[in-house]
Amino acid sequence: MEFSKQDKYLIVVGIIFCIALAVLSPYIASGDPDGLEKSAEDSAVSEDVETTVVESPFPDYTYEPLDKLGEIGVLILGGIITLVLALGIGYALKKSN
C-alpha cells in the first residue's frame, strides 16, 4: 500500500491527537453516567454477567489494577485496533478495485 507524504502526515497527526485524547480523557470525563447508561438504569436493565452474550475484556473501559493508567491504556489499545482495522479494510477495498 502506497501512501503519499500528505497521507503519512495526516496519519501521524491523527495518531498523536488520539493518544493525547486518550491521556486526557480519564481526567476530564464526567463521573456521571452517560445517556446510554442512564437509560439502562432508568429501565432497570441489569448488568448481570450471566445475561450477557459475550463478556467484555475491559468493562467500563478500564483495566482495574492500573486505575487511571488502565483507562489510558485501554483507550490507546482501542485506538490502535480501530486504526489497524480501518487500514485493513481500506487495503482490502483497494485490492478489490
Side-chain angles (χ1 to χ4, degrees):
M1 187 170 359
E2 188 77 24
F3 291 113
S4 70
K5 190 171 186 174
Q6 187 176 14
D7 290 342
K8 289 177 186 176
Y9 177 75
L10 181 63
I11 290 171
V12 169
V13 168
I15 290 171
I16 291 170
F17 176 77
C18 289
I19 290 173
L21 186 64
V23 169
L24 293 174
S25 290
Y27 300 103
I28 60 176
S30 172
D32 297 327
D34 62 3
L36 180 60
E37 195 146 334
K38 176 75 170 131
S39 297
E41 287 174 3
D42 290 346
S43 302
V45 175
S46 80
E47 290 187 27
D48 291 336
V49 176
E50 296 150 3
T51 60
T52 59
V53 176
V54 176
E55 188 175 337
S56 172
F58 301 109
D60 293 329
Y61 310 104
T62 188
Y63 181 65
E64 290 294 329
L66 296 179
D67 197 36
K68 292 287 184 193
L69 283 177
E71 290 180 43
I72 293 168
V74 169
L75 289 168
I76 291 173
L77 179 65
I80 291 170
I81 290 170
T82 302
L83 177 64
V84 169
L85 285 173
L87 287 172
I89 290 170
Y91 183 72
L93 290 174
K94 186 174 180 181
K95 278 283 204 185
S96 68
N97 289 338

